Amino acid sequence: MIIYKDSEIYIEAEDSQLPWLKIFTQEPFKELGDMPKELRSKLWEVYDIVEFYMNFHYKPTKINMASFGNVLPRVHIHIIARFENDNYFPNPVWGKKLRDTKLNLPSAEKFHKELHAALSNQFTSLQSDRRKSSSERRREKD
Amino acid sequence: MIIYKDSEIYIEAEDSQLPWLKIFTQEPFKELGDMPKELRSKLWEVYDIVEFYMNFHYKPTKINMASFGNVLPRVHIHIIARFENDNYFPNPVWGKKLRDTKLNLPSAEKFHKELHAALSNQFTSLQSDRRKSSSERRREKD
């Protein structure tokens, strides 16, 4: 499911027990270093907003981030909220499964909706010259 | 083994069949979003230089990047050169081992030495106002 898109990037939700999003660039690149510098800056700015809202909504034990692309050599960033009782913790979700827990997590719908609003506001609103810094975002939520 | 350090970051080489480095910040942070913006920019600039030299020396099939910190909640970035005949490919190195290959790779010593020189030149030389852009680096190596 696509939860956000603009002319340069889109974000897909992975079907998982965990809050797990993937950031793609619209134009494919093999490695991070192949991307234009401006797009890389935007990618990390998007990552920052996703991480912020993931922490805010789920209060996870840890955020995990990864970029592989071994099967399809196209940069995309995985962002996963991890909990100490999730099925793989403390292993990466690509590692050995350790248990079978039913997690009782807050609604993904609300998370996706607020994240979409924050990203739209930052990147696609008419007031695009009014970008918020991370510290402003933190102050508002505190 | 530490292959580079300055006042803000250090880079450790993992003991592996693969070229595998880990970038740490000297000051520990739980999540990427907890780091000051300037340090995050530097982290991605360091990542960019590591990726460039890894590609240049090893011509890997793909570069993999990850940040977990589930056991010790302290941001550090893994950067791993992957080859289509390595023991785990196309799985992440945290996934299922698929074969037992002896890889015949170029010298790590030369890679570490050139990477150290590039990072020192960028971040710790007296001419620190003379930072190279990625495109300048590419032009010189081409």
Side-chain angles (χ1 to χ4, degrees):
Chain A
M1 185 178 55
I2 306 289
I3 67 146
Y4 173 77
K5 66 174 173 182
D6 61 30
S7 60
E8 295 171 317
I9 65 130
Y10 64 94
I11 300 179
E12 216 177 280
E14 179 92 358
D15 187 19
S16 164
Q17 80 158 167
L18 296 169
W20 181 338
L21 301 181
K22 294 180 288 187
I23 311 174
F24 288 83
T25 50
Q26 296 283 7
E27 188 184 342
F29 296 95
K30 188 184 168 196
E31 305 290 0
L32 281 159
D34 299 331
M35 294 171 57
K37 202 171 165 20
E38 295 70 29
L39 185 56
R40 240 180 310 163
S41 297
K42 175 167 174 177
L43 181 73
W44 295 126
E45 204 182 336
V46 170
Y47 173 86
D48 191 36
I49 294 172
V50 173
E51 189 191 273
F52 177 84
Y53 279 90
M54 218 175 233
N55 267 320
F56 181 74
H57 274 271
Y58 294 104
K59 311 266 181 296
T61 308
K62 189 72 187 66
I63 301 278
N64 286 183
M65 183 266 278
S67 168
F68 301 126
N70 297 331
V71 178
L72 189 74
R74 171 183 182 162
V75 171
H76 57 281
I77 310 286
H78 298 268
I79 312 172
I80 309 162
R82 302 298 310 278
F83 303 88
E84 57 187 1
N85 59 337
D86 77 38
N87 291 348
Y88 295 81
F89 198 91
N91 290 341
V93 294
W94 296 273
K96 193 174 154 50
K97 188 174 173 178
L98 298 177
R99 62 189 76 85
D100 221 330
T101 313
K102 179 150 173 37
L103 294 174
N104 199 359
L105 298 178
S107 147
E109 205 182 325
K110 188 160 182 283
F111 166 52
H112 293 165
K113 205 173 151 183
E114 281 210 26
L115 179 59
H116 183 275
L119 290 165
S120 299
N121 186 53
Q122 188 82 342
F123 298 112
T124 54
S125 78
L126 292 173
Q127 300 82 19
S128 62
D129 56 337
R130 179 62 192 90
R131 288 199 180 183
K132 278 183 201 165
S133 69
S134 338
S135 48
E136 283 177 308
R137 199 169 300 116
R138 238 163 243 131
R139 268 199 302 281
E140 286 178 0
K141 284 285 187 187
D142 282 345
Chain B
M1 186 179 52
I2 306 289
I3 67 147
Y4 173 78
K5 66 174 174 183
D6 60 31
S7 60
E8 295 171 316
I9 65 133
Y10 64 93
I11 300 178
E12 215 177 280
E14 178 93 358
D15 188 19
S16 164
Q17 78 157 169
L18 296 168
W20 181 338
L21 300 181
K22 294 181 288 188
I23 312 174
F24 289 82
T25 50
Q26 296 283 6
E27 189 184 341
F29 297 96
K30 187 183 168 196
E31 305 290 0
L32 281 159
D34 299 331
M35 294 169 57
K37 203 171 164 22
E38 297 67 32
L39 186 55
R40 242 180 309 162
S41 298
K42 175 166 173 176
L43 181 73
W44 295 126
E45 205 183 335
V46 169
Y47 174 85
D48 191 36
I49 294 172
V50 173
E51 188 189 272
F52 178 85
Y53 279 90
M54 219 176 232
N55 266 319
F56 181 74
H57 274 271
Y58 293 105
K59 311 266 180 295
T61 307
K62 189 73 185 67
I63 301 278
N64 285 185
M65 183 264 280
S67 168
F68 301 125
N70 297 330
V71 178
L72 189 75
R74 171 183 182 162
V75 171
H76 57 282
I77 309 285
H78 298 267
I79 313 171
I80 310 162
R82 303 297 310 276
F83 303 88
E84 59 187 0
N85 60 337
D86 77 39
N87 291 348
Y88 294 81
F89 198 91
N91 290 341
V93 294
W94 296 274
K96 193 174 151 51
K97 188 174 173 178
L98 299 175
R99 62 189 76 82
D100 221 328
T101 313
K102 177 151 177 33
L103 294 173
N104 199 358
L105 298 177
S107 147
E109 204 183 324
K110 189 161 180 284
F111 166 52
H112 293 165
K113 205 174 151 185
E114 281 210 26
L115 178 60
H116 183 275
L119 290 165
S120 300
N121 186 54
Q122 189 80 344
F123 298 112
T124 54
S125 77
L126 291 173
Q127 299 83 22
S128 61
D129 57 336
R130 180 64 192 86
R131 288 199 181 184
K132 279 182 200 167
S133 69
S134 336
S135 49
E136 284 177 307
R137 200 169 300 117
R138 239 163 241 129
R139 269 200 300 281
E140 286 178 358
K141 283 288 187 187
D142 283 346

